[in-house]
Amino acid sequence: MAFFLRMPGSRGFAAKTADLGELEPSDLAEQENLLVIASTWGEGDPPERAVSFYEKLSAEGAPKFEKSRYSVLALGDTSYEQFCQFGKDLDRRFEELGGQRF
């Protein structure tokens, strides 16, 4: 799931929610503020619906996130060795693509 956070003047944020399974990385790259809530399963793997998005985000030609401030909230089970790995991987990749973590 991803939240697009828009700033409507001084009134705060107006959020729009979307499923990563229905998005392309380019859909998020133009967002100024982005909060991604990422669940994991198994050994820190992405949910099935998010696999295609993550593969495209990981590809060499992925769009830049230089206009984006982002944060990733990863959810997982601490009993697994790769706890929240999908969320950690998203965070690292957004940074590599020029995003500014907040």
Side-chain angles (χ1 to χ4, degrees):
M1 178 175 294
F3 288 89
F4 304 79
L5 304 172
R6 294 194 170 97
M7 292 284 291
S10 63
R11 295 185 170 249
F13 292 99
K16 176 184 175 187
T17 62
D19 183 327
L20 289 180
E22 299 172 359
L23 297 173
E24 298 291 325
S26 59
D27 296 329
L28 299 183
E30 295 300 314
Q31 299 301 316
E32 289 180 26
N33 299 292
L34 178 63
L35 169 62
V36 177
I37 300 174
S39 63
T40 59
W41 71 279
E43 289 296 333
D45 297 318
E48 185 176 323
R49 292 189 49 76
V51 170
S52 177
F53 176 88
Y54 184 63
E55 288 173 348
K56 292 173 185 174
L57 186 71
S58 299
E60 189 172 316
K64 299 293 183 188
F65 280 73
E66 294 165 337
K67 298 178 184 177
S68 300
R69 292 176 359 123
Y70 74 92
S71 188
V72 177
L73 170 63
L75 305 171
D77 184 337
T78 58
S79 67
Y80 289 98
E81 187 174 323
Q82 299 297 318
F83 172 64
C84 289
Q85 192 60 51
F86 174 54
K88 294 173 185 177
D89 292 344
L90 285 173
D91 181 78
R92 175 192 46 77
R93 187 64 177 148
F94 286 137
E95 183 180 46
E96 288 173 355
L97 295 169
Q100 293 184 351
R101 186 181 296 113
F102 74 91

